Amino acid sequence: MNKTRLEAFSDGVLAILITIMVLEFRAPHGSDIDVLIPIIPEVLSYVLSFIYLGIYWSNHHHLMHTVQRVTGGILWANLHLLFWLSLVPFVTGWIGENHFAPLPMALYGIILLMAAIAYYILTLVIIKTHGTDSILARAIGKDFKGKISPVLYVIAIGCSWISPWIAGGLYIVVALIWLVPDKRIEIIFKDEFKQK
Amino acid sequence: MNKTRLEAFSDGVLAILITIMVLEFRAPHGSDIDVLIPIIPEVLSYVLSFIYLGIYWSNHHHLMHTVQRVTGGILWANLHLLFWLSLVPFVTGWIGENHFAPLPMALYGIILLMAAIAYYILTLVIIKTHGTDSILARAIGKDFKGKISPVLYVIAIGCSWISPWIAGGLYIVVALIWLVPDKRIEIIFKDEFKQK
Amino acid sequence: MNKTRLEAFSDGVLAILITIMVLEFRAPHGSDIDVLIPIIPEVLSYVLSFIYLGIYWSNHHHLMHTVQRVTGGILWANLHLLFWLSLVPFVTGWIGENHFAPLPMALYGIILLMAAIAYYILTLVIIKTHGTDSILARAIGKDFKGKISPVLYVIAIGCSWISPWIAGGLYIVVALIWLVPDKRIEIIFKDEFKQK
Amino acid sequence: MNKTRLEAFSDGVLAILITIMVLEFRAPHGSDIDVLIPIIPEVLSYVLSFIYLGIYWSNHHHLMHTVQRVTGGILWANLHLLFWLSLVPFVTGWIGENHFAPLPMALYGIILLMAAIAYYILTLVIIKTHGTDSILARAIGKDFKGKISPVLYVIAIGCSWISPWIAGGLYIVVALIWLVPDKRIEIIFKDEFKQK
């Protein structure tokens, strides 16, 4: 019952974040094809962040599925995650407006890294509450995606000053890793359905 | 249980999109009737997009009704649809501000077309998950509205450069087609209620 | 089950509308008491519109309580109501920015009038679906508030050019009428609880 | 059933408020580290307000848990609370933009004070509806946090003109007081779970 509201609030925040980014590229003045060209980098950065927020929503969805009891710790670990995600529209607008300049690209990675760490903390808090024998705890041991992502973010942040394109490429790679269907999660779901 | 959250998230995004468009026409400076005149095309484009998003919400509502199991594929096909719909406020603002100029009118149609394709993909993914014998699969075979809409969008996009008014007229026609109560959906609902 | 999602979507839209108005008065430049003075009319108009949207949400809440079956008609009558309410932030910003000038005040009343008519249409559609013997049909016969409000709006719109203050006073009066607890609704609720 | 919708609406408003603040610091022009420096006070004020809205959401969550019956009084006391919280993004932007100047800092405290009073009124209305023997009534008698917060706000408001830093420090102190897990609430939850 508690969980429903935590999910509803998180869904609300994520729905707003994913939508608010559209406000960044306001209708351009003029109706020529030329006025659309400066918007292209903004659209590209929007697509990337849309996918990232989609991934977070999807993962959050799966993660909450394993929660049976909402404690104050889970509640604040969740808000902490939402805080970092709430900065995504800001950095998205910044990289778009500056055509993927080094500093914005690095900050984009830092926000993604902080969100990944916040997600990891949330996972730990949930495991701590539900016990190391819980479905989540068993699954997380083999969590390659969760372990490789921060490493790639750190490399991308470092590479931003060498070439923002490498950084951008790495952000796309991480997004693709997560988009590929996760056998691990599938198995958990099957386990859960069997239990029911 | 999963479905509830997918619906809640989609509702959230659609509610925000439908409302965010109002932010495009900010309170004009001055209090004469003159200052309202430039807002008229923006209001007209708002009305059209409001109806379109309303139709998508309503159809989405019916579509989700047939979903029994949410997979990763459905989740991402749904996000893909929301992505194209999230660009509706942008093109709405653009056609309004440029008084229905050719290029904005064409782009408006392209976004509607992409949303229609995304909706069709979502339908296919749901059918693939639930089997070709499912309620949805049976209903979709006779889906005239879903088939005629993209054709009319393509014609409208092409006509934008001949006359934006023809394009606008076609967008209104498609909206009207969808607004007319759908016997097909009614029948499905009746079937469903009988099953329960 | 359908009803839940109609309510959720309406709640989402109303929550966004009531909150979006705050975006109209952005943080002023400067930190003196002087910079707050031009914001006062904006805050006053915000308070009034906040109360109006609160009243609509509350009434909508009660109205939906009487709905047992959601039809396409109810869905679109509901969207029609949300459309007019979605224009409230616009007129709120306009009357605030122009210090309650005649035309903005009249337009504010027109939007309220259209919303009241849309609400009435929604009521009629619900009664048509559920039968004239339904709880709602019986209650609506004695609906004084619903009948007096449009009359007062029309008077207020007419008075806007004589004195915007009369118009403003009448809008406040209508809001106060609705804020007073409604014995009628209370009785319905009691009836309902008895039925359960 | 009523309660669900009151919670959903409140969650919606709080989710929007917590997210809307991000719109205050738009992507800066330029991609140097210099352009980020003026944003720092805005980020700091955002963090503080994010935590405050998080606390209100969390407390609201617990408070609603004790509600069994939603009356018109509870509904409006809740809207009254949401009204004051809706002004948080405005004062947050104002203190951020003016680098914690005295008047904005005082107004920030006034809004927090009004929200605290509104929360207290909501508590009273709920107790009045559910009886002084209710879970809430018993818990509230020992509510130290609720009693000390307004006192600290008043001191902070007064200190704003002496030093905005004292005011800011006190706002942080109040936030920290609330962040510390509340044994009292825990006990209530345990009681509730036992009842079920």
Side-chain angles (χ1 to χ4, degrees):
Chain A
M1 193 181 293
N2 285 314
K3 202 174 90 171
T4 308
R5 212 177 158 189
L6 187 71
E7 287 181 335
F9 183 74
S10 306
D11 280 354
V13 170
L14 285 167
I16 298 159
L17 289 177
I18 218 166
T19 328
I20 249 175
M21 290 189 289
V22 190
L23 290 175
E24 295 288 332
F25 40 105
R26 293 204 153 239
H29 297 281
S31 58
D32 292 304
I33 197 99
D34 301 354
V35 301
L36 287 181
I37 289 161
I39 298 175
I40 291 168
E42 295 187 25
V43 174
L44 290 178
S45 63
Y46 172 54
V47 173
L48 186 61
S49 294
F50 190 97
I51 291 170
Y52 264 110
L53 288 176
I55 290 166
Y56 268 103
W57 175 69
S58 166
N59 288 350
H60 190 266
H61 189 203
H62 290 324
L63 189 62
M64 282 299 127
H65 216 73
T66 66
V67 171
Q68 274 131 38
R69 200 157 51 85
V70 177
T71 61
I74 291 174
L75 202 142
W76 281 100
N78 189 56
L79 275 171
H80 178 237
L81 171 62
L82 294 178
F83 173 77
W84 291 108
L85 293 177
S86 80
L87 296 176
V88 167
F90 169 73
V91 284
T92 303
W94 206 34
I95 62 170
E97 204 172 273
N98 293 289
H99 301 171
F100 315 112
L103 183 67
M105 285 305 271
L107 194 66
Y108 190 83
I110 291 167
I111 298 298
L112 288 181
L113 181 63
M114 295 311 292
I117 292 169
Y119 190 83
Y120 185 65
I121 292 171
L122 178 58
T123 312
L124 291 185
V125 174
I126 293 173
I127 290 174
K128 209 187 136 195
T129 313
H130 293 79
T132 44
D133 281 338
S134 62
I135 307 160
L136 185 64
R138 272 178 286 135
I140 222 71
K142 312 157 218 154
D143 182 12
F144 293 110
K145 289 181 178 184
K147 278 167 192 157
I148 198 76
S149 302
V151 176
L152 293 176
Y153 291 147
V154 170
I155 296 170
I157 295 163
C159 290
S160 295
W161 280 275
I162 302 164
S163 164
W165 299 104
I166 297 172
L170 285 168
Y171 299 148
I172 292 167
V173 166
V174 176
L176 289 177
I177 289 173
W178 283 101
L179 278 179
V180 176
D182 196 348
K183 293 294 163 203
R184 174 172 62 81
I185 296 284
E186 297 284 312
I187 292 158
I188 302 168
F189 267 108
K190 275 178 200 158
D191 286 2
E192 268 184 299
F193 277 114
K194 275 180 201 160
Q195 285 173 15
K196 281 175 192 169
Chain B
M1 194 182 294
N2 286 314
K3 202 174 92 171
T4 308
R5 211 176 159 192
L6 187 71
E7 287 182 334
F9 183 75
S10 306
D11 280 355
V13 170
L14 285 168
I16 297 159
L17 289 177
I18 218 165
T19 328
I20 250 175
M21 290 189 288
V22 190
L23 289 176
E24 296 287 331
F25 39 106
R26 292 204 153 239
H29 297 281
S31 59
D32 292 304
I33 196 97
D34 301 355
V35 299
L36 287 181
I37 290 162
I39 297 175
I40 291 170
E42 294 187 26
V43 173
L44 290 178
S45 63
Y46 172 54
V47 173
L48 185 62
S49 294
F50 190 97
I51 291 170
Y52 264 110
L53 288 175
I55 290 166
Y56 268 102
W57 175 70
S58 166
N59 288 351
H60 190 267
H61 189 203
H62 290 323
L63 189 63
M64 283 298 126
H65 215 74
T66 66
V67 172
Q68 273 132 36
R69 200 156 54 84
V70 177
T71 61
I74 292 174
L75 201 142
W76 281 100
N78 188 56
L79 275 171
H80 178 236
L81 171 62
L82 293 179
F83 174 76
W84 290 109
L85 293 178
S86 80
L87 296 177
V88 167
F90 169 73
V91 284
T92 304
W94 206 35
I95 62 170
E97 205 173 273
N98 292 290
H99 301 171
F100 314 112
L103 183 67
M105 285 305 271
L107 194 67
Y108 189 83
I110 290 167
I111 298 298
L112 288 181
L113 181 63
M114 296 310 293
I117 292 169
Y119 189 84
Y120 185 64
I121 292 171
L122 177 58
T123 312
L124 290 185
V125 174
I126 294 173
I127 290 174
K128 209 188 136 195
T129 314
H130 292 79
T132 45
D133 280 339
S134 63
I135 307 161
L136 184 62
R138 271 179 285 136
I140 222 70
K142 311 157 217 155
D143 182 12
F144 293 111
K145 289 181 178 185
K147 280 167 191 157
I148 198 75
S149 302
V151 175
L152 292 176
Y153 291 147
V154 170
I155 296 170
I157 294 163
C159 288
S160 295
W161 280 275
I162 302 164
S163 165
W165 298 105
I166 298 172
L170 285 169
Y171 299 147
I172 293 167
V173 166
V174 176
L176 290 177
I177 288 173
W178 284 102
L179 278 179
V180 176
D182 195 348
K183 293 295 162 201
R184 174 173 61 81
I185 296 286
E186 298 283 310
I187 292 159
I188 302 168
F189 268 109
K190 275 177 198 159
D191 285 2
E192 268 183 300
F193 277 114
K194 275 179 201 161
Q195 285 172 14
K196 280 174 191 168
Chain C
M1 195 181 292
N2 286 313
K3 204 175 89 172
T4 308
R5 209 174 160 194
L6 188 70
E7 286 182 335
F9 182 74
S10 308
D11 279 355
V13 171
L14 286 168
I16 298 158
L17 289 177
I18 218 166
T19 328
I20 250 174
M21 290 189 289
V22 190
L23 290 175
E24 296 287 333
F25 39 105
R26 291 202 155 240
H29 298 281
S31 58
D32 291 306
I33 197 97
D34 301 355
V35 300
L36 286 180
I37 290 162
I39 297 175
I40 291 169
E42 294 187 26
V43 173
L44 290 177
S45 64
Y46 172 54
V47 173
L48 186 61
S49 294
F50 190 96
I51 292 170
Y52 264 110
L53 287 176
I55 290 166
Y56 268 102
W57 176 70
S58 165
N59 287 350
H60 191 266
H61 188 204
H62 290 324
L63 189 62
M64 282 299 126
H65 215 75
T66 67
V67 171
Q68 274 132 35
R69 200 157 52 86
V70 177
T71 61
I74 290 173
L75 202 142
W76 282 100
N78 189 56
L79 275 171
H80 178 236
L81 171 62
L82 292 178
F83 174 76
W84 291 109
L85 293 178
S86 80
L87 296 175
V88 167
F90 169 73
V91 285
T92 304
W94 206 35
I95 62 171
E97 204 173 275
N98 292 289
H99 301 172
F100 315 111
L103 183 66
M105 285 305 271
L107 195 67
Y108 190 83
I110 290 167
I111 297 298
L112 288 181
L113 181 62
M114 295 312 291
I117 292 169
Y119 188 84
Y120 185 65
I121 292 171
L122 177 58
T123 312
L124 290 185
V125 174
I126 294 173
I127 290 174
K128 209 188 136 195
T129 313
H130 292 79
T132 45
D133 280 341
S134 62
I135 307 161
L136 184 64
R138 272 178 285 133
I140 222 71
K142 311 158 217 155
D143 182 12
F144 292 110
K145 289 181 179 185
K147 280 167 191 158
I148 198 76
S149 302
V151 176
L152 291 177
Y153 291 147
V154 170
I155 296 170
I157 295 162
C159 287
S160 294
W161 281 275
I162 303 164
S163 164
W165 298 105
I166 298 173
L170 284 168
Y171 299 146
I172 292 166
V173 166
V174 176
L176 290 176
I177 289 173
W178 283 102
L179 278 179
V180 176
D182 195 349
K183 293 295 163 201
R184 175 173 61 82
I185 296 286
E186 299 282 312
I187 292 159
I188 301 168
F189 269 110
K190 276 177 198 160
D191 286 2
E192 267 183 298
F193 278 115
K194 275 179 199 163
Q195 286 172 14
K196 281 175 196 172
Chain D
M1 194 181 290
N2 285 313
K3 203 174 89 173
T4 307
R5 210 174 158 193
L6 188 71
E7 286 181 336
F9 183 75
S10 306
D11 279 355
V13 170
L14 286 168
I16 298 159
L17 289 177
I18 218 166
T19 327
I20 250 175
M21 290 189 290
V22 189
L23 289 175
E24 296 287 332
F25 39 104
R26 291 202 155 242
H29 298 280
S31 58
D32 293 305
I33 197 96
D34 301 355
V35 300
L36 287 180
I37 289 161
I39 298 175
I40 291 168
E42 293 187 27
V43 173
L44 290 177
S45 63
Y46 173 54
V47 173
L48 185 62
S49 294
F50 190 97
I51 292 170
Y52 263 110
L53 288 176
I55 290 166
Y56 267 103
W57 176 68
S58 165
N59 288 350
H60 191 267
H61 189 202
H62 290 324
L63 189 62
M64 282 299 127
H65 216 74
T66 66
V67 171
Q68 274 132 37
R69 199 157 52 85
V70 177
T71 61
I74 291 174
L75 202 142
W76 282 100
N78 189 56
L79 275 171
H80 178 237
L81 170 62
L82 293 178
F83 173 77
W84 291 109
L85 293 178
S86 81
L87 296 175
V88 167
F90 169 73
V91 286
T92 303
W94 206 34
I95 63 170
E97 204 173 274
N98 292 289
H99 301 171
F100 315 112
L103 184 66
M105 285 306 272
L107 195 66
Y108 190 84
I110 290 168
I111 298 299
L112 288 181
L113 181 63
M114 295 311 293
I117 292 170
Y119 189 84
Y120 185 64
I121 292 171
L122 177 58
T123 312
L124 291 185
V125 174
I126 293 173
I127 290 174
K128 210 188 135 194
T129 313
H130 293 79
T132 44
D133 281 340
S134 63
I135 307 161
L136 184 64
R138 271 178 286 135
I140 222 69
K142 312 158 216 153
D143 181 11
F144 292 110
K145 289 181 179 183
K147 278 168 193 155
I148 199 76
S149 301
V151 176
L152 292 176
Y153 291 146
V154 170
I155 295 170
I157 295 162
C159 288
S160 295
W161 281 275
I162 302 163
S163 164
W165 298 105
I166 298 172
L170 284 168
Y171 299 147
I172 292 166
V173 166
V174 176
L176 290 177
I177 289 173
W178 283 101
L179 277 179
V180 176
D182 196 348
K183 293 295 163 203
R184 173 173 62 80
I185 295 286
E186 298 283 311
I187 292 159
I188 301 168
F189 268 110
K190 276 177 199 160
D191 286 3
E192 268 182 298
F193 278 114
K194 276 179 200 161
Q195 285 171 16
K196 282 174 194 172

